[in-house]
Every structure is written in structure tokens, then in C-alpha cells.
């Protein structure tokens, strides 16, 4: 490829709305342009990167028996009504109507479509297991599209779905998929962790995310510094307290706490440590309003609450919600006589007695005891883990880091197959719903994550396997005949050797070309100047280390090949 003929509109300045480095650099390197919020055009250089990631994905999925399909992006509402997600999915689902007023959506994911195909076409246990995948555009009307390709509304996803006769078979494919994902991200040159995750809207019982570690990541990951246990912070298990049921020590007593609402204020006023004050937090859920209890020095994690209840969603109740049930005054809520189902963190039930709001203005109860003074619907792990907390699996301590979720694998069980009647006949001729798994990778997000991990102040430093070009051939002055000839010959020899080279044949100053080369981030640069060429030499620069060395022109191709192999 010749630079002068390619569309590579580089920019000196980053777009004003770009917050993260990958977004800035993708725009500045001329890889992408925004068409509307969260909707991007992918330009030639960007597409070269995405295609490379896709190729790696295809190779790894084909290797474990995945078969590629291509499903429609526009999906009829009937399938979503059948699965129950038409009403559940909410505003992220872009709903559209055709000329006959029939409702459709633009697919945010494809469980419904694939399950529909498989229930029609696969009837017997003999045809299972089956893994199908596609690489295709999705649309999700994200609340806050941002960070360029990292969180777009329209984005490219690899989604795979597997169908099985039983749970063991689903688990086997899940394990193979986890390994394929590890291979994919490894081959893309990324530093990542596999973390235990919540299965979100899709549901199911078994789920891991693959997260690229980067400070700009939106997800927080809890790691053990000793045993390597890693979990999304929303799921990270807290070490249970020693002895889970404390004996009531004191009598229940109401005390006046005028104007004292926060844990800190009450703790100070009553001269008690924050861990003896219990916070009562109200949540709206699909099963009505509930209360969650955690110690005053802890935070309650709504995802853990949702999982403890076993419901679909749980959001902190607003003042309006609380007023609508004639609830207690803010700051004085407590479990005694509350009239809602109460879910308690195990650390709370482990306390013998504690302090809570008294459900009336300016008053708290002391000596409150779970079980005696109020009924606990269920006790479990509700608190959010923090850096320095004990690991539940070993004597180690939690560390917390940020990560970018690039892939997500789930075992779905028969959630979709049951409601959509995707059944197979077992050897005895009995109809049984299939077990399913689903597996996603964000292609654009993977490219963005690679930049988050591989850049410097001058631009992108691509990992070789996903670089748009492996080498930039940079003539100092392309109008000089001997330089031009040497550059053209080298450029062709590189392609003949299977090395993707970009020849910067522009008439710009050398400084401009070198800046652009650093910005675009090919792993190697070869600079050809008239003086060095007189001595039969060229300069080969490794982008990552910024180190350049003079090498004989005659051996440049093999030098490049071996450098790339080592990168
Ligand atoms: P997130 O929590 O980041 O919204 P998700 O859990 O909704 O992600 P999945 O439904 O598991 O994501 O989708 C599979 C993969 O698709 C994700 O791991 C991610 O790489 C990618 N992805 C999801 N949403 C987006 C988006 N808005 N923009 C780009 N990639 C996305
Ligand atoms: Mg999402």
C-alpha cells in the first residue's frame, strides 16, 4: 500500500469529547470517524485492525468446532415477546416498525434468532452438541455511549451460541471456549484476566469475563494477591465472618438522635464504632420493595442483593418510591417493624446486637438483634469487597484494579430453550429442552483495549499480530531517484516475504512522516536516506523501544522478518 493513495486522515489534535487514549488515538490515526453519538465509520486503517482480530477469532473458534453463520441484524418482535425480553430489555433495544406497522428491533444480541433456527432445524441428540458463531454488527442504545469503539451504540461483536443434550456437554464446550478466548486475547498481544462475573440480563448460572487490565477500564476487578482468584467486584465474594449468628447481648432501646442521620454522625453521637451501626437500605426490585442490611463501615452491592433475593433486578429506591409506600424518614430507616422483606449481610447477623434507625424522625434503636427484633428473610454475602479485604479462598488479601471487559462467556442452562421450546429427542425418544451457552467478544472494544495497553506519548504501539501494517517504509526524500528506487524495491520485497508494508511515498517533510509513523504505530519503521544508502545501509527502528539501528539494505527483509517474529 502506498500512503499517498490511502485514506489515512491523521490529526494533530484529539477530538474534544474524547476522554480515553484509545479514542483519541483512533481518531488521530485516521482509523475511525464519528457519524452520530456512539456510531462510527471505520476507515481503511481501522478496518485492517478489526479484520485481523476477526481472523484470529475465526481461527480459534473453528479450531474448537465452531461453525460460522451470519444472522439478520433486524429481528421481529415476536421472537422477543416469546423469550420475554421484549418488555424486559428496556430502552437499550432499538425498536423499529416496518411499512406494515410490524414491530422489529435491531439486534443487540442473537439468542432469540439462533434458538429459533436450532429449534426448527435440530431435532435429535445425534446432532448435538452444536456451536454456531457470527461476527456482526449489533445495536444497543447505550445510556452513555463514550470512549469511541469501546462503548459504542453500533458495534461489531463476535457472538457464539452452543446447544447441548446436557449440562456436562455444555460445561465441556464452556471450558473449550474459555481456552479459545484465552488464546485469542493472548494472540492479540493483550494482558488480560479471566474473572468470575455476573450473568446480567442474559441470565444463567455460570459466567466469566475476560478483562484487559487498564486504568481507563469501566469495570472494577477484585484480585487475590496470593491465590490468583479474580472476580468482578460486583461478584467478588467476601470472607464470611467467624461465627455467623451472634447472641443478643442487650435489650432493645429507643434513643433520641436529633438531626443525626449518617453513620458517622450516629457513631459519633452515641460513641460507638461504625461497625456497630447497621445501615438499612431500601431497594426497588421486580418483586417489590425490600430492605438490605450491611454494617455501617461497609457498602451494599446491589448485584449481590439481586442474587441473594434471586430476582431479576434491584435498584436503590428513590425518595419518591419510599414516599409512595409511606416509608420511614430518610436517615432513620431501620429493620424493626419496617414491614418489608429484609435481607442481611452475614456480618450483620453475626453481630449480637447493634444500632439501627427507629423508623421515625430523630430516633434510633440500640441493642437491636436479628431474629429477635425482626425477621431476616435471608442472610448472605451483600457487602462490596474493598482493597485490603481478606480473600475468601486463602489467607491473601484483595487488590482492586480496573479492567475493560473484552469478552464474556455464559452457560445459559435452558432459560431460552425452555420458553422457546428448543427441544431435542433423546435416545429414548423423550423431548427435552437443550442446554445452551453463549459467548461474546467485542471486536472494536478489543482493538481499543489493545491501544489502552500499548501506546506512548507519540501514538499507538501496535502488538504485531493486529497492527494495520507491520512495517512503515519511510523514504527521507521520495523524489530522489536512488532513494525512490531502493524504497520501491524494498517495499515489494517485503510484501513478497509476506510482510505487510506501508510505503510513505508522500512529498512531506521527514518530520511529518516520522510523526505520522509513530502515531499509526506499526511495530517497525525502515528509514531510507540518501547518505545511508550510499553506504548500502538503512535505519530500522523498533517502535516500542524507539531504538533504531543501521542495517545493510541487502539484509533488511530478513532482519524485519526476524524482528517481527521476536515481537
Ligand atoms: P458491558 O457490561 O460493557 O455493557 P455487556 O455485558 O453488555 O458489556 P455482552 O452482552 O456480554 O456485554 O456482550 C459481549 C461483548 O460485546 C462484551 O464483552 C464487549 O466486548 C462487547 N460490547 C458490549 N457492549 C458494547 C458496546 N456498547 N460497545 C462495544 N462493545 C461492546
Ligand atoms: Mg452492556
Amino acid at each position: 500500500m502506498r500512503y499517498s493513495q490511502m485514506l489515512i486522515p491523521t490529526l494533530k489534535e484529539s477530538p474534544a469529547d474524547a476522554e480515553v487514549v484509545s479514542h483519541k488515538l483512533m481518531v488521530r490515526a485516521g482509523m475511525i470517524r464519528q457519524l452520530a453519538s456512539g456510531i462510527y465509520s471505520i476507515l481503511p486503517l481501522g478496518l485492517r485492525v478489526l479484520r485481523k482480530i476477526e481472523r484470529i477469532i475465526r481461527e480459534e473458534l473453528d479450531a474448537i468446532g465452531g461453525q460460522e453463520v451470519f444472522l439478520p441484524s433486524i429481528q421481529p418482535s415476536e421472537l422477543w415477546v416469546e423469550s420475554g425480553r421484549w418488555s424486559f430489555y428496556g430502552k437499550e433495544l432499538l425498536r423499529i416498525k416496518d411499512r406494515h406497522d410490524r414491530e422489529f428491533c435491531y439486534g443487540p444480541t442473537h439468542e432469540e434468532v439462533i434458538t429459533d433456527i436450532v429449534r426448527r432445524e435440530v431435532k435429535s441428540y445425534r446432532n448435538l452438541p452444536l456451536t454456531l458463531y457470527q461476527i456482526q454488527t449489533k445495536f444497543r442504545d447505550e445510556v452513555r455511549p463514550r470512549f469511541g469503539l469501546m462503548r459504542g451504540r453500533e458495534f461489531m461483536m463476535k457472538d457464539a451460541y452452543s446447544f447441548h443434550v446436557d449440562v456436562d456437554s455444555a460445561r465441556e464446550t464452556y471450558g473449550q471456549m474459555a481456552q479459545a478466548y484465552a488464546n485469542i486475547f493472548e494472540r492479540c498481544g493483550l494482558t488480560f484476566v479471566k474473572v468470575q462475573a455476573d450473568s446480567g440480563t442474559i441470565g444463567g448460572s455460570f459466567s466469566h469475563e475476560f478483562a484487559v487490565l487498564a486504568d481507563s477500564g469501566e469495570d472494577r476487578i477484585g484480585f487475590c494477591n496470593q491465590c490468583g482468584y479474580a472476580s468482578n467486584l460486583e461478584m467478588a465474594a467476601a470472607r464470611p465472618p467467624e461465627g455467623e449468628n451472634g447472641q443478643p447481648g442487650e435489650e432493645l432501646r429507643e434513643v433520641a438522635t436529633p438531626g443525626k442521620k449518617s453513620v458517622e454522625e450516629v457513631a459519633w453521637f452515641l460513641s460507638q464504632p461504625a461497625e456497630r451501626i447497621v445501615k438499612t437500605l431500601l431497594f426497588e426490585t421486580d418483586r417489590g420493595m425490600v430492605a438490605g442490611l450491611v454494617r455501617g463501615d461497609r457498602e451494599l452491592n446491589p448485584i449481590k442483593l439481586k442474587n441473594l433475593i434471586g430476582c431479576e433486578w434491584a435498584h436503590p429506591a428513590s425518595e419518591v418510591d419510599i414516599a409512595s409506600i409511606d416509608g420511614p424518614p430518610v436517615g432513620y430507616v431501620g429493620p424493626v417493624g419496617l414491614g418489608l422483606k429484609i435481607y442481611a449481610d452475614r456480618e450483620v447477623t453475626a453481630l449480637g446486637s447493634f444500632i439501627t434507625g427507629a423508623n421515625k424522625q430523630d430516633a434510633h434503636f440500640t441493642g437491636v438483634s436479628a431474629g429477635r427484633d425482626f425477621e431476616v428473610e435471608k442472610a448472605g454475602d451483600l457487602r462490596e469487597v474493598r482493597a485490603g479485604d481478606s480473600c475468601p479462598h486463602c489467607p491473601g488479601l484483595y487488590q482492586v484494579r480496573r479492567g475493560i471487559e473484552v469478552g464474556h462467556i455464559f452457560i445459559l442452562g435452558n432459560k431460552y430453550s425452555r420458553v422457546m421450546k428448543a427441544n431435542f429427542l433423546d435416545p429414548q425418544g423423550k423431548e427435552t429442552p437443550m442446554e445452551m451457552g453463549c459467548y461474546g467478544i467485542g471486536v472494536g472494544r478489543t482493538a481499543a483495549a489493545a491501544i489502552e495497553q500499548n501506546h506512548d506519548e507519540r501514538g499507538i504501539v501496535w502488538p504485531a499480530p493486529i497492527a494495520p501494517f507491520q512495517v512503515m517504509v519511510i523514504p527521507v526524500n521520495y523524489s530522489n531517484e536512488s532513494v525512490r528506487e531502493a524504497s520501491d524495491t524494498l517495499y515489494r520485497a517485503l510484501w513478497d516475504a509476506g510482510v505487510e508494508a506501508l510505503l510513505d511515498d508522500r512529498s512531506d517533510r521527514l518530520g511529518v512522516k516520522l510523526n505520522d509513523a509513530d502515531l499509526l504505530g506499526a511495530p517497525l519503521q525502515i528509514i531510507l536516506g540518501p547518505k545511508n544508502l550510499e553506504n548500502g545501509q538503512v535505519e530500522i527502528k523498533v517502535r516500542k523501544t524507539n531504538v533504531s539501528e543501521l542495517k545493510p539494505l541487502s539484509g533488511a527483509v530478513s532482519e524485519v522478518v526476524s524482528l517481527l517474529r521476536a515481537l
Side-chain angles (χ1 to χ4, degrees), residues 1 3 27 43 77 104 146 161 175 192 204 210 224 226 260 275 304 311 318-319 360 364 390 392 395 419 480 565:
M1 306 273 158
Y3 202 130
V27 174
L43 303 188
S77 64
F104 290 82
R146 56 189 179 150
Y161 306 89
F192 64 93
F210 288 76
C224 171
Q226 278 190 26
K260 306 290 181 271
E275 61 253 37
K304 287 188 174 179
C311 63
S318 66
E319 286 190 32
K360 63 182 189 193
H364 278 75
S390 303
V419 286
N480 173 312
R565 213 170 278 143

Side-chain angles (χ1 to χ4, degrees), residues 6-196:
M6 272 194 82
L7 178 64
I8 309 177
T10 59
L11 298 174
K12 285 218 173 63
E13 301 295 328
S14 306
D17 64 330
E19 297 170 58
V20 296
V21 73
S22 56
H23 184 190
K24 292 179 185 166
L25 288 174
M26 275 188 174
V27 174
R28 285 191 51 214
M31 294 172 64
I32 58 169
R33 284 295 182 265
Q34 181 174 299
L35 179 65
S37 169
I39 302 179
Y40 287 85
S41 304
I42 312 289
L43 303 188
L45 214 60
L47 194 62
R48 290 183 71 86
V49 173
L50 299 190
R51 290 282 183 257
K52 290 196 173 179
I53 296 172
E54 290 172 13
R55 189 168 144 197
I56 292 172
I57 292 174
R58 286 194 171 94
E59 286 173 6
E60 293 295 334
L61 292 194
D62 291 349
I64 58 165
Q67 300 173 59
E68 188 166 357
V69 293
F70 194 74
L71 306 172
S73 53
I74 307 292
Q75 310 181 6
S77 64
E78 288 82 5
L79 284 179
W80 286 71
V81 169
E82 221 185 307
S83 73
R85 290 207 290 185
W86 186 252
S87 53
F88 184 66
Y89 217 92
K91 290 199 168 162
E92 250 188 46
L93 192 64
L94 180 65
R95 296 156 209 255
I96 39 189
K97 278 190 181 159
D98 72 3
R99 64 170 74 206
H100 308 295
D101 241 15
R102 283 188 55 191
E103 286 192 295
F104 290 82
C105 66
Y106 199 108
T109 173
H110 279 73
E111 282 79 9
E112 282 79 0
V113 174
I114 200 88
T115 306
D116 180 56
I117 291 179
V118 170
R119 71 178 168 185
R120 289 168 194 275
E121 312 304 335
V122 179
K123 305 282 183 206
S124 163
Y125 71 95
R126 288 192 196 87
N127 305 113
L128 296 172
L130 178 66
T131 301
L132 301 170
Y133 74 93
Q134 63 170 344
I135 298 179
Q136 199 227 22
T137 304
K138 303 280 188 254
F139 193 95
R140 296 181 180 180
D141 204 350
E142 299 271 355
V143 194
R144 252 194 102 194
R146 56 189 179 150
F147 302 164
L149 296 195
M150 200 114 93
R151 182 167 297 283
R153 294 199 292 169
E154 185 175 301
F155 59 95
M156 194 74 88
M157 195 202 285
K158 183 287 296 175
D159 45 328
Y161 306 89
S162 66
F163 297 84
H164 309 268
V165 294
D166 58 23
V167 176
D168 284 347
S169 165
R171 292 205 165 185
E172 190 180 334
T173 297
Y174 185 88
Q176 290 169 344
M177 204 52 96
Q179 186 55 51
Y181 272 44
N183 298 347
I184 289 165
F185 298 123
E186 178 107 39
R187 286 181 61 188
C188 288
L190 296 167
T191 307
F192 64 93
V193 284
K194 180 181 146 192
V195 297
Q196 193 188 316

Side-chain angles (χ1 to χ4, degrees), residues 276-470:
R276 299 257 352 254
I277 320 264
V278 165
K279 287 194 273 201
T280 306
L281 303 154
L282 302 185
F283 284 83
E284 263 317 338
T285 76
D286 50 304
R287 306 222 186 126
M289 199 181 289
V290 303
L293 306 187
V294 284
R295 264 173 30 183
D297 58 334
R298 308 294 195 195
E299 297 304 323
L300 186 146
N301 183 319
I303 306 247
K304 287 188 174 179
L305 178 67
K306 178 201 83 167
N307 291 340
L308 184 65
I309 300 172
C311 63
E312 298 273 1
W313 53 267
H315 308 307
S318 66
E319 286 190 32
V320 178
D321 297 331
I322 298 169
S324 75
I325 61 152
D326 238 349
V330 175
Y332 299 96
V333 184
V336 181
L338 182 61
L340 295 175
K341 282 197 174 153
I342 290 168
Y343 296 86
D345 187 77
R346 285 182 301 220
E347 283 186 340
V348 170
T349 48
L351 287 173
S353 48
F354 43 89
I355 298 159
T356 69
N359 293 326
K360 63 182 189 193
Q361 195 67 35
D362 297 336
H364 278 75
F365 283 131
T366 62
V368 181
S369 183
R372 185 191 68 186
D373 301 321
F374 63 92
E375 196 183 324
V376 175
E377 180 74 18
K378 210 167 178 188
D381 181 9
L382 288 182
R383 77 173 161 100
E384 182 153 303
V385 154
R386 278 191 288 235
D389 281 356
S390 303
C391 171
H393 303 298
C394 80
L397 299 178
Y398 269 113
Q399 290 180 321
V400 175
R401 286 197 54 188
R402 290 202 162 264
I404 301 164
E405 175 200 324
V406 285
H408 200 166
I409 57 178
F410 302 81
I411 286 190
L412 291 168
N414 57 19
K415 182 179 157 102
Y416 291 91
S417 50
R418 207 168 6 90
V419 286
M420 294 184 66
K421 302 198 174 54
N423 297 330
F424 68 96
L425 293 177
D426 72 8
Q428 284 73 44
K430 189 169 141 256
E431 260 197 25
T432 315
M434 296 177 198
E435 292 291 322
M436 287 174 62
C438 77
Y439 319 88
I441 292 181
V443 179
R445 193 183 280 186
T446 300
I451 297 178
E452 292 293 328
Q453 267 188 353
N454 300 282
H455 67 271
D456 61 18
E457 64 295 338
R458 301 189 52 78
I460 305 170
V461 185
W462 285 112
I466 60 171
F469 292 97
Q470 286 145 355

